[in-house]
mmCIF file of all heavy atoms in Angstrom:
data_model
loop_
_atom_site.group_PDB
_atom_site.id
_atom_site.type_symbol
_atom_site.label_atom_id
_atom_site.label_comp_id
_atom_site.label_asym_id
_atom_site.label_seq_id
_atom_site.Cartn_x
_atom_site.Cartn_y
_atom_site.Cartn_z
ATOM 1 N N LEU A 111 -7.807 27.435 43.596
ATOM 2 C CA LEU A 111 -7.925 26.150 42.913
ATOM 3 C C LEU A 111 -8.242 26.187 41.335
ATOM 4 O O LEU A 111 -7.911 25.406 40.596
ATOM 5 C CB LEU A 111 -8.926 25.249 43.673
ATOM 6 C CG LEU A 111 -8.523 24.733 44.986
ATOM 7 C CD1 LEU A 111 -9.715 24.152 45.768
ATOM 8 C CD2 LEU A 111 -7.323 23.760 44.972
ATOM 9 N N VAL A 114 -4.966 26.893 39.889
ATOM 10 C CA VAL A 114 -3.940 26.030 40.064
ATOM 11 C C VAL A 114 -4.091 24.573 39.594
ATOM 12 O O VAL A 114 -3.253 23.958 39.044
ATOM 13 C CB VAL A 114 -3.638 25.974 41.568
ATOM 14 C CG1 VAL A 114 -2.636 24.844 41.900
ATOM 15 C CG2 VAL A 114 -2.942 27.252 42.125
ATOM 16 N N ALA A 115 -5.333 24.164 39.709
ATOM 17 C CA ALA A 115 -5.644 22.744 39.479
ATOM 18 C C ALA A 115 -5.165 22.305 38.059
ATOM 19 O O ALA A 115 -4.603 21.183 37.900
ATOM 20 C CB ALA A 115 -7.094 22.489 39.567
ATOM 21 N N PRO A 116 -5.313 23.003 37.013
ATOM 22 C CA PRO A 116 -4.981 22.585 35.585
ATOM 23 C C PRO A 116 -3.484 22.327 35.542
ATOM 24 O O PRO A 116 -2.983 21.495 34.860
ATOM 25 C CB PRO A 116 -5.383 23.614 34.636
ATOM 26 C CG PRO A 116 -6.572 24.211 35.357
ATOM 27 C CD PRO A 116 -6.131 24.218 36.786
ATOM 28 N N GLY A 118 -1.476 21.502 38.009
ATOM 29 C CA GLY A 118 -1.117 20.523 39.037
ATOM 30 C C GLY A 118 -0.669 19.311 38.331
ATOM 31 O O GLY A 118 0.402 18.642 38.599
ATOM 32 N N LYS A 119 -1.438 18.783 37.279
ATOM 33 C CA LYS A 119 -1.053 17.665 36.561
ATOM 34 C C LYS A 119 0.183 17.876 35.712
ATOM 35 O O LYS A 119 1.091 16.876 35.607
ATOM 36 C CB LYS A 119 -2.314 17.220 35.628
ATOM 37 C CG LYS A 119 -3.467 16.720 36.247
ATOM 38 C CD LYS A 119 -4.445 16.211 35.219
ATOM 39 C CE LYS A 119 -5.708 15.512 36.001
ATOM 40 N NZ LYS A 119 -6.703 15.038 35.070
ATOM 41 N N ASP A 122 3.059 17.605 38.216
ATOM 42 C CA ASP A 122 3.301 16.048 38.687
ATOM 43 C C ASP A 122 4.048 15.407 37.604
ATOM 44 O O ASP A 122 5.025 14.643 37.862
ATOM 45 C CB ASP A 122 1.988 15.381 38.855
ATOM 46 C CG ASP A 122 1.250 15.877 40.227
ATOM 47 O OD1 ASP A 122 1.986 16.620 41.058
ATOM 48 O OD2 ASP A 122 0.120 15.757 40.391
ATOM 49 N N ASP A 140 5.171 20.305 52.600
ATOM 50 C CA ASP A 140 4.458 20.760 51.570
ATOM 51 C C ASP A 140 3.924 22.284 51.816
ATOM 52 O O ASP A 140 3.275 22.462 52.788
ATOM 53 C CB ASP A 140 3.216 19.855 51.441
ATOM 54 C CG ASP A 140 2.290 20.124 50.290
ATOM 55 O OD1 ASP A 140 2.345 21.227 49.678
ATOM 56 O OD2 ASP A 140 1.545 19.269 49.779
ATOM 57 N N ARG A 142 1.642 23.882 50.681
ATOM 58 C CA ARG A 142 0.120 24.066 50.695
ATOM 59 C C ARG A 142 -0.371 23.539 52.054
ATOM 60 O O ARG A 142 -1.316 24.185 52.725
ATOM 61 C CB ARG A 142 -0.554 23.087 49.698
ATOM 62 C CG ARG A 142 -2.011 23.333 49.482
ATOM 63 C CD ARG A 142 -2.573 22.671 48.262
ATOM 64 N NE ARG A 142 -2.596 21.230 48.414
ATOM 65 C CZ ARG A 142 -3.564 20.522 49.089
ATOM 66 N NH1 ARG A 142 -4.567 21.233 49.635
ATOM 67 N NH2 ARG A 142 -3.416 19.257 49.276
ATOM 68 N N TYR A 173 -6.631 20.463 54.227
ATOM 69 C CA TYR A 173 -5.691 19.934 53.344
ATOM 70 C C TYR A 173 -6.284 19.074 52.309
ATOM 71 O O TYR A 173 -6.082 19.025 51.157
ATOM 72 C CB TYR A 173 -4.564 19.481 54.015
ATOM 73 C CG TYR A 173 -3.377 18.943 53.153
ATOM 74 C CD1 TYR A 173 -2.481 19.904 52.513
ATOM 75 C CD2 TYR A 173 -3.073 17.629 52.942
ATOM 76 C CE1 TYR A 173 -1.489 19.425 51.759
ATOM 77 C CE2 TYR A 173 -1.952 17.242 52.129
ATOM 78 C CZ TYR A 173 -1.218 18.076 51.497
ATOM 79 O OH TYR A 173 -0.191 17.681 50.679
ATOM 80 N N GLY A 174 -7.107 18.245 52.805
ATOM 81 C CA GLY A 174 -7.758 17.073 51.949
ATOM 82 C C GLY A 174 -8.846 17.495 51.158
ATOM 83 O O GLY A 174 -8.963 17.357 49.888
ATOM 84 N N LEU A 175 -9.811 18.301 51.810
ATOM 85 C CA LEU A 175 -10.999 18.587 51.109
ATOM 86 C C LEU A 175 -10.789 19.898 50.191
ATOM 87 O O LEU A 175 -11.539 19.943 49.066
ATOM 88 C CB LEU A 175 -12.079 19.006 52.187
ATOM 89 C CG LEU A 175 -12.679 17.803 52.898
ATOM 90 C CD1 LEU A 175 -13.560 18.245 54.006
ATOM 91 C CD2 LEU A 175 -13.625 17.093 51.877
ATOM 92 N N LEU A 176 -9.740 20.516 50.413
ATOM 93 C CA LEU A 176 -9.507 21.866 49.552
ATOM 94 C C LEU A 176 -8.365 21.528 48.754
ATOM 95 O O LEU A 176 -7.538 22.367 48.482
ATOM 96 C CB LEU A 176 -9.328 23.126 50.376
ATOM 97 C CG LEU A 176 -10.686 23.522 51.257
ATOM 98 C CD1 LEU A 176 -10.303 24.784 51.937
ATOM 99 C CD2 LEU A 176 -11.717 23.688 50.240
ATOM 100 N N SER A 177 -8.199 20.257 48.180
ATOM 101 C CA SER A 177 -6.942 19.880 47.370
ATOM 102 C C SER A 177 -7.350 19.989 45.936
ATOM 103 O O SER A 177 -8.450 19.875 45.432
ATOM 104 C CB SER A 177 -6.627 18.427 47.646
ATOM 105 O OG SER A 177 -7.660 17.588 47.194
ATOM 106 N N PRO A 178 -6.202 20.319 45.117
ATOM 107 C CA PRO A 178 -6.412 20.361 43.668
ATOM 108 C C PRO A 178 -6.858 19.095 43.133
ATOM 109 O O PRO A 178 -7.659 19.205 42.239
ATOM 110 C CB PRO A 178 -5.020 20.632 43.155
ATOM 111 C CG PRO A 178 -4.287 21.368 44.297
ATOM 112 C CD PRO A 178 -4.841 20.656 45.637
ATOM 113 N N GLU A 179 -6.493 17.969 43.730
ATOM 114 C CA GLU A 179 -6.891 16.627 43.170
ATOM 115 C C GLU A 179 -8.425 16.441 43.360
ATOM 116 O O GLU A 179 -9.139 16.048 42.331
ATOM 117 C CB GLU A 179 -6.282 15.500 44.001
ATOM 118 C CG GLU A 179 -4.714 15.420 43.719
ATOM 119 C CD GLU A 179 -3.946 16.401 44.657
ATOM 120 O OE1 GLU A 179 -4.567 17.040 45.481
ATOM 121 O OE2 GLU A 179 -2.678 16.560 44.427
ATOM 122 N N LEU A 180 -9.038 16.894 44.483
ATOM 123 C CA LEU A 180 -10.419 16.674 44.714
ATOM 124 C C LEU A 180 -11.171 17.719 43.775
ATOM 125 O O LEU A 180 -12.262 17.302 43.367
ATOM 126 C CB LEU A 180 -10.683 16.738 46.196
ATOM 127 C CG LEU A 180 -12.200 16.487 46.477
ATOM 128 C CD1 LEU A 180 -12.614 15.130 45.987
ATOM 129 C CD2 LEU A 180 -12.426 16.632 48.093
ATOM 130 N N TYR A 181 -10.675 18.742 43.747
ATOM 131 C CA TYR A 181 -11.328 19.750 42.877
ATOM 132 C C TYR A 181 -11.360 19.394 41.368
ATOM 133 O O TYR A 181 -12.352 19.563 40.815
ATOM 134 C CB TYR A 181 -10.460 21.221 42.946
ATOM 135 C CG TYR A 181 -10.978 22.265 42.086
ATOM 136 C CD1 TYR A 181 -12.158 23.031 42.560
ATOM 137 C CD2 TYR A 181 -10.646 22.486 40.745
ATOM 138 C CE1 TYR A 181 -12.528 24.187 41.691
ATOM 139 C CE2 TYR A 181 -11.156 23.439 39.959
ATOM 140 C CZ TYR A 181 -12.047 24.304 40.455
ATOM 141 O OH TYR A 181 -12.648 25.273 39.695
ATOM 142 N N LEU A 182 -10.163 18.859 40.880
ATOM 143 C CA LEU A 182 -10.236 18.460 39.559
ATOM 144 C C LEU A 182 -11.247 17.209 39.403
ATOM 145 O O LEU A 182 -11.792 17.154 38.340
ATOM 146 C CB LEU A 182 -8.895 17.911 39.095
ATOM 147 C CG LEU A 182 -7.847 19.000 38.685
ATOM 148 C CD1 LEU A 182 -6.332 18.323 38.643
ATOM 149 C CD2 LEU A 182 -8.288 19.668 37.360
ATOM 150 N N LEU A 183 -11.301 16.298 40.273
ATOM 151 C CA LEU A 183 -12.153 15.144 40.240
ATOM 152 C C LEU A 183 -13.674 15.639 40.099
ATOM 153 O O LEU A 183 -14.324 15.111 39.274
ATOM 154 C CB LEU A 183 -11.939 14.303 41.402
ATOM 155 C CG LEU A 183 -12.944 13.051 41.632
ATOM 156 C CD1 LEU A 183 -12.719 12.092 40.384
ATOM 157 C CD2 LEU A 183 -12.752 12.373 42.922
ATOM 158 N N LEU A 184 -14.016 16.481 40.944
ATOM 159 C CA LEU A 184 -15.493 16.911 40.908
ATOM 160 C C LEU A 184 -15.874 17.981 39.936
ATOM 161 O O LEU A 184 -16.882 17.989 39.275
ATOM 162 C CB LEU A 184 -15.835 17.291 42.370
ATOM 163 C CG LEU A 184 -15.808 16.299 43.510
ATOM 164 C CD1 LEU A 184 -16.124 16.889 44.879
ATOM 165 C CD2 LEU A 184 -16.663 15.161 43.107
ATOM 166 N N VAL A 185 -14.883 18.951 39.676
ATOM 167 C CA VAL A 185 -15.232 20.053 38.808
ATOM 168 C C VAL A 185 -14.920 19.606 37.325
ATOM 169 O O VAL A 185 -15.730 19.838 36.445
ATOM 170 C CB VAL A 185 -14.585 21.338 39.150
ATOM 171 C CG1 VAL A 185 -14.661 22.465 38.159
ATOM 172 C CG2 VAL A 185 -14.884 21.805 40.657
ATOM 173 N N GLN A 186 -13.729 19.208 36.985
ATOM 174 C CA GLN A 186 -13.490 18.851 35.675
ATOM 175 C C GLN A 186 -13.988 17.467 35.113
ATOM 176 O O GLN A 186 -14.512 17.292 34.153
ATOM 177 C CB GLN A 186 -11.828 18.971 35.527
ATOM 178 C CG GLN A 186 -11.414 20.299 35.519
ATOM 179 C CD GLN A 186 -9.973 20.549 34.884
ATOM 180 O OE1 GLN A 186 -9.419 19.520 34.407
ATOM 181 N NE2 GLN A 186 -9.528 21.649 34.892
ATOM 182 N N GLU A 187 -13.770 16.447 36.108
ATOM 183 C CA GLU A 187 -14.205 15.116 35.627
ATOM 184 C C GLU A 187 -15.586 14.809 35.765
ATOM 185 O O GLU A 187 -16.190 14.225 34.861
ATOM 186 C CB GLU A 187 -13.363 14.066 36.376
ATOM 187 C CG GLU A 187 -11.748 14.061 36.016
ATOM 188 C CD GLU A 187 -11.021 12.800 36.677
ATOM 189 O OE1 GLU A 187 -11.777 11.820 36.879
ATOM 190 O OE2 GLU A 187 -9.877 12.993 37.013
ATOM 191 N N ARG A 188 -16.243 15.381 36.873
ATOM 192 C CA ARG A 188 -17.679 15.326 37.122
ATOM 193 C C ARG A 188 -18.490 16.343 36.662
ATOM 194 O O ARG A 188 -19.751 16.255 36.674
ATOM 195 C CB ARG A 188 -17.970 14.813 38.688
ATOM 196 C CG ARG A 188 -17.187 13.599 39.096
ATOM 197 C CD ARG A 188 -17.502 12.365 38.234
ATOM 198 N NE ARG A 188 -18.915 12.123 38.020
ATOM 199 C CZ ARG A 188 -19.377 11.619 36.980
ATOM 200 N NH1 ARG A 188 -18.731 11.010 36.103
ATOM 201 N NH2 ARG A 188 -20.803 11.356 36.934
ATOM 202 N N TRP A 195 -19.394 23.238 43.729
ATOM 203 C CA TRP A 195 -18.116 22.863 44.525
ATOM 204 C C TRP A 195 -17.904 23.708 45.821
ATOM 205 O O TRP A 195 -17.790 23.045 46.876
ATOM 206 C CB TRP A 195 -16.859 23.042 43.619
ATOM 207 C CG TRP A 195 -15.624 23.165 44.402
ATOM 208 C CD1 TRP A 195 -15.046 24.359 44.693
ATOM 209 C CD2 TRP A 195 -14.798 22.079 45.077
ATOM 210 N NE1 TRP A 195 -13.891 24.160 45.512
ATOM 211 C CE2 TRP A 195 -13.820 22.786 45.664
ATOM 212 C CE3 TRP A 195 -14.874 20.773 44.996
ATOM 213 C CZ2 TRP A 195 -12.907 21.953 46.394
ATOM 214 C CZ3 TRP A 195 -14.009 20.066 45.691
ATOM 215 C CH2 TRP A 195 -12.920 20.727 46.352
#
Side-chain angles (χ1 to χ4, degrees):
L111 287 171
V114 171
K119 288 185 175 180
D122 289 343
D140 186 337
R142 192 171 68 81
Y173 184 74
L175 286 169
L176 298 178
S177 67
E179 295 82 4
L180 187 54
Y181 178 87
L182 278 173
L183 175 67
L184 295 177
V185 174
Q186 289 199 359
E187 294 188 29
R188 301 306 308 154
W195 157 266

